[in-house]
């Protein structure tokens, strides 16, 4: 909490850029501080990966995953952008991290754990 404002980090596949932007606006207008992704690698920021060798690409992706977990550390909760119920491996890892650190987890769409 920063002052009276809860801090929320958005998590989810970057292919859902429009839904990230919509959630960011909605949550901000509800009186939250919203932290989002730094780039949309699957929907619009593909130039970031162009001409990157495999080693650099792997290190960059690892760095971005770590940065996002530091964002979760600064947050009171995460808000998962799970369009159509989709949750990929990175997002699942972020959810597990948030839960392990006693962060509240909310979802854009209703979500049920797979048995």
């Amino acid at each position: 909490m920063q002052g009276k404002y809860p801090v929320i980090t958005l998590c989810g596949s970057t292919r859902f850029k429009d839904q990230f932007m919509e959630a960011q606006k909605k949550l901000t207008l509800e009186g939250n501080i919203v932290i989002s992704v730094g780039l949309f690698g699957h929907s619009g920021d593909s130039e970031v990966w162009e001409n990157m060798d495999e080693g650099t690409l792997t290190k960059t992706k690892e760095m971005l995953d770590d940065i996002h977990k530091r964002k979760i550390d600064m947050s009171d909760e995460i808000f998962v952008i799970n369009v159509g119920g989709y949750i990929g491996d990175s997002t699942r890892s972020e959810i597990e991290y948030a839960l392990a650190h006693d962060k509240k987890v909310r979802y854009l769409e209703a979500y049920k754990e797979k048995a």
Side-chain angles (χ1 to χ4, degrees):
M1 195 84 114
Q2 290 294 317
K4 63 181 180 178
Y5 304 107
V7 180
I8 300 173
T9 294
L10 301 180
C11 297
S13 173
T14 58
R15 71 182 74 177
F16 302 127
K17 183 178 182 176
D18 291 342
Q19 289 84 357
F20 264 86
M21 301 307 291
E22 188 177 310
Q24 181 175 317
K25 288 177 192 174
K26 180 180 183 292
L27 292 168
T28 298
L29 289 171
E30 289 174 357
N32 300 288
I33 296 170
V34 180
I35 302 172
S36 190
V37 296
L39 54 98
F40 290 93
H42 291 294
S43 59
D45 290 327
S46 57
E47 77 281 356
V48 170
W49 314 118
E50 291 174 8
N51 303 316
M52 205 179 270
D53 64 70
E54 192 63 36
T56 304
L57 179 65
T58 298
K59 286 180 183 176
T60 301
K61 287 183 177 182
E62 287 172 357
M63 177 195 68
L64 292 171
D65 284 346
D66 187 56
I67 286 172
H68 210 70
K69 288 193 172 123
R70 300 301 68 81
K71 292 176 181 180
I72 293 169
D73 288 339
M74 295 187 297
S75 300
D76 300 301
E77 68 179 82
I78 67 169
F79 188 88
V80 181
I81 309 296
N82 60 328
V83 177
Y86 178 78
I87 294 177
D89 291 339
S90 290
T91 304
R92 189 171 317 286
S93 170
E94 292 163 358
I95 293 166
E96 290 168 1
Y97 183 86
L99 290 171
H101 291 84
D102 299 319
K103 307 294 180 175
K104 180 178 175 183
V105 178
R106 288 195 291 154
Y107 297 87
L108 176 67
E109 298 184 6
Y111 177 70
K112 292 186 178 182
E113 280 289 336
K114 293 180 182 176

